[in-house]
Amino acid sequence: MTDFRKAITERVLVLDGAMGTLLQERCLPPGGCPEEMNRVAPDAVTGIHAEYAAAGADILVANSFGGNRAKLAHYGLDSAVDELNRRAVELARKAGGNQLFIGGSVGPTGRFVEPVGDAGFDEMVDIFAEQISALAGAGADLISFETFLDIRELRAGVIACRDVCDLPIVAQMTFDDAGRTVLGTPPIAAAVTLDALQVDVIGTNCGLGIDGIHDVLAQMRLGTSRPLISQANAGLPILKDGQTIFPGTPEEMTAYHERLIALGVRIIGGCCGTTPEHVRAMRAALDHFPHDWTPPARRGFLSSRSAVTEFGGEAPCVLIGERINPTGKKGYTQELLSGKTAYIRREATAQLAAGAQLLDVNCGAPGVDEVAALERAVFAVSGACTAPLVIDTSDPAALERALKATDGKVLINSVTGEAKSLERILPLARRYGAAVIGLTLDEKGIPATAEGRVKVASKILDAALAVGLPPQDLVIDCLTLTVSAEQQRALETLRALRLVRDDLGLATALGVSNISFGLPSRPVLSSAFFAMALEAGLKAAIINPKDERMMDVYRSALVLLCQDVRAEDYIAHYAEQTVVTAPAVGGQESHLDISQRLAAAIVAGDSEGIVALVKDAVEEGLDVMTISNEGLLPGLEEVGRRFAANRIFLPQVMQAAETMQAAFGYIKENFAGESGPSLGRILMATVEGDIHDIGKNIVCTLLENHGFEVIDLGKNVPSARILEVALEMKVDAVGLSALMTTTLQQMDVTLGKLRDAGIKVFTMVGGAVVTQDYADSIGADIYARDALEAVVKVKAVLGH
């Protein structure tokens, strides 16, 4: 059989369609474990594979999607990971023989990675390694990650796969109709992060029909030159005659073939609702289109969970905020020693507001546990803002812990030309999908000439290429030396910038302000040097973005270098500005009253400082209701507005919720009976047959924060149990969640039983596969697309 990696360069491959819905039709009992069918109904599983093979599929995906121990534990099968996954591959191989590729399907665990969830990164790697070892051991030809919502969880899965085998990797995330994952990751950020991990194929499955999938893939193409995969649903589910169906016809599923192939899609398959008939149509449609494709040139990007920054190449110089660094900052050093992060979060947001695009994070100070501090800092910055990070440490252990904590593709600051540094740092960059800054110094120190520095840069480049890093992920720091000591060195640095650009074709970086150390009026000299470096091709500048003189030079230089087209950014900043002053440092909230400071703390997710603010409010004479209604809740409402405007995303919402819980926890502990009446009693449950409860848990948390009493029945809850508790507890509302298309019908069943019993409550439904049309068809009073929308609609219905 042709090698998979070679095959996708030669032709567009057809991947099979849905497994779960067909199993449900043939043998899977309600609430049953699909992977257990590999053991108890192997003929049914093989039969489905055989139908897809006969329809023309090139790839059969094994029935192992939920085969990790976290998922299997819900069915008491966590000890059967090896058996069920091996059987999955064997059954697919039995149907496809050696003529077809067999993909080992790997789905999410149903948990979020910390700090959003409770799962540790290493724990996730271990869970996936166990499953993938079984799939690879059974002879899978590739590993297919499917339907992931959390980019950190998918990173853990890819790293686990690389640890246990060298099989090709297909990595897919699921996006909503707004073009983001549940945790706020847009397609381009997912593509950049996965590209850096060097998976073989990147794409998306589930959640959307073929038109929506095409739009997602078009965005992914902007961030990667790798082959893409398309696995659309057969339309969005609707309820017809009591059955959940997918309306997309085989012909509709092929309508985007030409556009998909033009994007570089090299695998086309189907997800929920697709059948052998859909696959047969996909196979036939490919005969009408050429299969050749030339990958676009690779570009340099960095990413966070929810944003992307381009660097190098034709992109303008990016600004790296330097202020999250304890050097000369006694207050920050003290926070690091005490395990606090207020300064980090404050400086992160302030530097972004001032114009930084990347944030350097450094926690190295005497007495500080840098390993723990750097992880904590990464969590804090990622929770406070969306900027990609620069991890600044010389400690490999701290670096690795920080790389595990990141949400995307970061820049490591830094590696040197010393053998010891190259051996320690570059493999970590490759393993965790990071770019790296290379300092032009080695065992002999800093070369005096530009040519000497280029020679060290070339050595670093060779070492990076040897471990598998592409040249676009290497940024060379030509080193800024103070002119007060060695005046000639400034010119050598500028020459080195040009030589690295022209001779090696690499992007360059500088810590610009070092040039003026020891001289008066440092901003004057630093800004002049900055302008010269920008003209010499500087692509990444580590500066204080709050220094307006430096920012004036930067904005002006981009215009003069024709990198600010039509001077749009320059005009936007200066058009109505008559006097330019540096923003104040510190004391940003001193003008706010206590209620406003409480609200600001909720928005900022300041779980460390919120209790102290509540105490201050009590000392100022505010009662508990005033603290809640005029301070805490307005803050949470502002979080909702920012979320709705795509200014913040679910991780920030959850951080705000944790801060709210800290405040309410203190109030309940110290002011029993004064917290005010409940706004209503809400019963929440994930319907029978569905073991996913992440979204439901988030809704529960936010409802409680807004003053509702929540009764959470958990997941896989039978309709009879929901009915029983609703009657017993006299609830005001019932909220139902479903993530799986195979469990949608249970929503209809449960709502029917509530109506038949005459329970006078309103019903709310939501979940990844639920739509407004579906909610209307089953008679639900409310459909909520996300947790904050659920809160708003519940409050409106109950008159709050």
mmCIF file of all heavy atoms in Angstrom, residues 254-276:
data_model
loop_
_atom_site.group_PDB
_atom_site.id
_atom_site.type_symbol
_atom_site.label_atom_id
_atom_site.label_comp_id
_atom_site.label_asym_id
_atom_site.label_seq_id
_atom_site.Cartn_x
_atom_site.Cartn_y
_atom_site.Cartn_z
ATOM 1 N N THR A 254 -21.304 17.493 -1.953
ATOM 2 C CA THR A 254 -20.229 17.608 -2.948
ATOM 3 C C THR A 254 -20.178 18.980 -3.604
ATOM 4 O O THR A 254 -19.314 19.228 -4.449
ATOM 5 C CB THR A 254 -20.409 16.539 -4.049
ATOM 6 O OG1 THR A 254 -21.616 16.809 -4.779
ATOM 7 C CG2 THR A 254 -20.474 15.145 -3.456
ATOM 8 N N ALA A 255 -21.059 19.887 -3.192
ATOM 9 C CA ALA A 255 -21.162 21.176 -3.872
ATOM 10 C C ALA A 255 -19.913 22.041 -3.724
ATOM 11 O O ALA A 255 -19.671 22.934 -4.535
ATOM 12 C CB ALA A 255 -22.390 21.933 -3.344
ATOM 13 N N TYR A 256 -19.125 21.789 -2.693
ATOM 14 C CA TYR A 256 -17.944 22.622 -2.436
ATOM 15 C C TYR A 256 -16.641 21.926 -2.820
ATOM 16 O O TYR A 256 -15.559 22.409 -2.487
ATOM 17 C CB TYR A 256 -17.900 23.024 -0.960
ATOM 18 C CG TYR A 256 -18.845 24.150 -0.602
ATOM 19 C CD1 TYR A 256 -20.207 23.930 -0.513
ATOM 20 C CD2 TYR A 256 -18.376 25.438 -0.360
ATOM 21 C CE1 TYR A 256 -21.085 24.950 -0.176
ATOM 22 C CE2 TYR A 256 -19.228 26.473 -0.037
ATOM 23 C CZ TYR A 256 -20.587 26.225 0.057
ATOM 24 O OH TYR A 256 -21.454 27.245 0.381
ATOM 25 N N HIS A 257 -16.719 20.798 -3.513
ATOM 26 C CA HIS A 257 -15.518 20.037 -3.819
ATOM 27 C C HIS A 257 -14.446 20.868 -4.528
ATOM 28 O O HIS A 257 -13.268 20.829 -4.155
ATOM 29 C CB HIS A 257 -15.881 18.818 -4.688
ATOM 30 C CG HIS A 257 -16.132 17.582 -3.886
ATOM 31 N ND1 HIS A 257 -16.729 17.605 -2.646
ATOM 32 C CD2 HIS A 257 -15.866 16.270 -4.135
ATOM 33 C CE1 HIS A 257 -16.823 16.371 -2.185
ATOM 34 N NE2 HIS A 257 -16.302 15.548 -3.056
ATOM 35 N N GLU A 258 -14.834 21.593 -5.557
ATOM 36 C CA GLU A 258 -13.846 22.347 -6.325
ATOM 37 C C GLU A 258 -13.161 23.400 -5.454
ATOM 38 O O GLU A 258 -11.938 23.577 -5.504
ATOM 39 C CB GLU A 258 -14.502 23.009 -7.532
ATOM 40 C CG GLU A 258 -13.508 23.697 -8.455
ATOM 41 C CD GLU A 258 -14.151 24.189 -9.746
ATOM 42 O OE1 GLU A 258 -15.395 24.167 -9.836
ATOM 43 O OE2 GLU A 258 -13.409 24.591 -10.657
ATOM 44 N N ARG A 259 -13.952 24.098 -4.635
ATOM 45 C CA ARG A 259 -13.388 25.121 -3.763
ATOM 46 C C ARG A 259 -12.519 24.501 -2.671
ATOM 47 O O ARG A 259 -11.489 25.067 -2.291
ATOM 48 C CB ARG A 259 -14.519 25.950 -3.143
ATOM 49 C CG ARG A 259 -15.078 27.023 -4.086
ATOM 50 C CD ARG A 259 -16.343 27.655 -3.561
ATOM 51 N NE ARG A 259 -17.505 26.794 -3.795
ATOM 52 C CZ ARG A 259 -18.752 27.157 -3.523
ATOM 53 N NH1 ARG A 259 -18.991 28.354 -3.008
ATOM 54 N NH2 ARG A 259 -19.753 26.339 -3.762
ATOM 55 N N LEU A 260 -12.918 23.356 -2.153
ATOM 56 C CA LEU A 260 -12.115 22.689 -1.134
ATOM 57 C C LEU A 260 -10.764 22.254 -1.691
ATOM 58 O O LEU A 260 -9.725 22.429 -1.050
ATOM 59 C CB LEU A 260 -12.874 21.477 -0.578
ATOM 60 C CG LEU A 260 -14.122 21.773 0.257
ATOM 61 C CD1 LEU A 260 -14.838 20.475 0.611
ATOM 62 C CD2 LEU A 260 -13.782 22.543 1.521
ATOM 63 N N ILE A 261 -10.788 21.694 -2.891
ATOM 64 C CA ILE A 261 -9.534 21.243 -3.501
ATOM 65 C C ILE A 261 -8.619 22.434 -3.771
ATOM 66 O O ILE A 261 -7.398 22.366 -3.568
ATOM 67 C CB ILE A 261 -9.827 20.454 -4.790
ATOM 68 C CG1 ILE A 261 -10.549 19.149 -4.437
ATOM 69 C CG2 ILE A 261 -8.538 20.159 -5.549
ATOM 70 C CD1 ILE A 261 -11.089 18.405 -5.642
ATOM 71 N N ALA A 262 -9.205 23.559 -4.186
ATOM 72 C CA ALA A 262 -8.402 24.759 -4.432
ATOM 73 C C ALA A 262 -7.744 25.273 -3.149
ATOM 74 O O ALA A 262 -6.660 25.859 -3.187
ATOM 75 C CB ALA A 262 -9.280 25.855 -5.046
ATOM 76 N N LEU A 263 -8.381 25.030 -2.006
ATOM 77 C CA LEU A 263 -7.818 25.441 -0.720
ATOM 78 C C LEU A 263 -6.678 24.533 -0.261
ATOM 79 O O LEU A 263 -5.948 24.874 0.659
ATOM 80 C CB LEU A 263 -8.906 25.423 0.366
ATOM 81 C CG LEU A 263 -9.866 26.603 0.447
ATOM 82 C CD1 LEU A 263 -10.926 26.339 1.512
ATOM 83 C CD2 LEU A 263 -9.118 27.897 0.759
ATOM 84 N N GLY A 264 -6.556 23.383 -0.895
ATOM 85 C CA GLY A 264 -5.551 22.431 -0.443
ATOM 86 C C GLY A 264 -6.106 21.369 0.466
ATOM 87 O O GLY A 264 -5.364 20.760 1.245
ATOM 88 N N VAL A 265 -7.411 21.121 0.392
ATOM 89 C CA VAL A 265 -8.007 20.001 1.124
ATOM 90 C C VAL A 265 -7.586 18.711 0.423
ATOM 91 O O VAL A 265 -7.861 18.520 -0.754
ATOM 92 C CB VAL A 265 -9.544 20.129 1.178
ATOM 93 C CG1 VAL A 265 -10.163 18.859 1.765
ATOM 94 C CG2 VAL A 265 -9.946 21.345 2.006
ATOM 95 N N ARG A 266 -6.938 17.831 1.160
ATOM 96 C CA ARG A 266 -6.437 16.577 0.588
ATOM 97 C C ARG A 266 -7.180 15.364 1.112
ATOM 98 O O ARG A 266 -6.913 14.229 0.688
ATOM 99 C CB ARG A 266 -4.941 16.426 0.876
ATOM 100 C CG ARG A 266 -4.097 17.611 0.447
ATOM 101 C CD ARG A 266 -4.255 17.976 -1.004
ATOM 102 N NE ARG A 266 -3.659 16.999 -1.898
ATOM 103 C CZ ARG A 266 -3.796 17.004 -3.232
ATOM 104 N NH1 ARG A 266 -4.580 17.913 -3.808
ATOM 105 N NH2 ARG A 266 -3.199 16.086 -3.965
ATOM 106 N N ILE A 267 -8.089 15.579 2.077
ATOM 107 C CA ILE A 267 -8.953 14.505 2.563
ATOM 108 C C ILE A 267 -10.358 15.080 2.699
ATOM 109 O O ILE A 267 -10.550 16.112 3.350
ATOM 110 C CB ILE A 267 -8.490 13.950 3.920
ATOM 111 C CG1 ILE A 267 -7.049 13.461 3.860
ATOM 112 C CG2 ILE A 267 -9.406 12.811 4.374
ATOM 113 C CD1 ILE A 267 -6.491 13.022 5.209
ATOM 114 N N ILE A 268 -11.321 14.414 2.088
ATOM 115 C CA ILE A 268 -12.719 14.825 2.190
ATOM 116 C C ILE A 268 -13.523 13.641 2.727
ATOM 117 O O ILE A 268 -13.453 12.535 2.182
ATOM 118 C CB ILE A 268 -13.284 15.262 0.829
ATOM 119 C CG1 ILE A 268 -12.543 16.502 0.317
ATOM 120 C CG2 ILE A 268 -14.781 15.550 0.941
ATOM 121 C CD1 ILE A 268 -13.000 16.969 -1.059
ATOM 122 N N GLY A 269 -14.242 13.890 3.797
ATOM 123 C CA GLY A 269 -15.070 12.842 4.382
ATOM 124 C C GLY A 269 -16.312 13.442 4.989
ATOM 125 O O GLY A 269 -16.648 14.602 4.741
ATOM 126 N N GLY A 270 -16.999 12.660 5.803
ATOM 127 C CA GLY A 270 -18.230 13.131 6.406
ATOM 128 C C GLY A 270 -18.264 12.853 7.884
ATOM 129 O O GLY A 270 -17.610 11.944 8.386
ATOM 130 N N CYS A 271 -19.065 13.660 8.597
ATOM 131 C CA CYS A 271 -19.232 13.451 10.029
ATOM 132 C C CYS A 271 -20.698 13.110 10.280
ATOM 133 O O CYS A 271 -21.277 12.330 9.529
ATOM 134 C CB CYS A 271 -18.777 14.698 10.793
ATOM 135 S SG CYS A 271 -18.331 14.375 12.522
ATOM 136 N N CYS A 272 -21.307 13.672 11.295
ATOM 137 C CA CYS A 272 -22.635 13.254 11.724
ATOM 138 C C CYS A 272 -23.646 13.285 10.575
ATOM 139 O O CYS A 272 -23.734 14.262 9.826
ATOM 140 C CB CYS A 272 -23.129 14.150 12.843
ATOM 141 S SG CYS A 272 -22.077 14.113 14.300
ATOM 142 N N GLY A 273 -24.399 12.219 10.455
ATOM 143 C CA GLY A 273 -25.466 12.141 9.462
ATOM 144 C C GLY A 273 -25.036 11.671 8.101
ATOM 145 O O GLY A 273 -25.887 11.392 7.242
ATOM 146 N N THR A 274 -23.728 11.583 7.842
ATOM 147 C CA THR A 274 -23.289 11.097 6.532
ATOM 148 C C THR A 274 -23.354 9.571 6.496
ATOM 149 O O THR A 274 -23.152 8.895 7.500
ATOM 150 C CB THR A 274 -21.860 11.559 6.216
ATOM 151 O OG1 THR A 274 -20.991 11.193 7.284
ATOM 152 C CG2 THR A 274 -21.809 13.060 6.028
ATOM 153 N N THR A 275 -23.621 9.043 5.333
ATOM 154 C CA THR A 275 -23.843 7.610 5.136
ATOM 155 C C THR A 275 -22.977 7.122 3.969
ATOM 156 O O THR A 275 -22.327 7.929 3.287
ATOM 157 C CB THR A 275 -25.325 7.355 4.784
ATOM 158 O OG1 THR A 275 -25.591 7.954 3.492
ATOM 159 C CG2 THR A 275 -26.261 7.969 5.828
ATOM 160 N N PRO A 276 -22.983 5.810 3.701
ATOM 161 C CA PRO A 276 -22.278 5.325 2.514
ATOM 162 C C PRO A 276 -22.718 6.002 1.227
ATOM 163 O O PRO A 276 -21.909 6.174 0.307
ATOM 164 C CB PRO A 276 -22.594 3.826 2.521
ATOM 165 C CG PRO A 276 -22.737 3.498 3.974
ATOM 166 C CD PRO A 276 -23.427 4.692 4.578
#
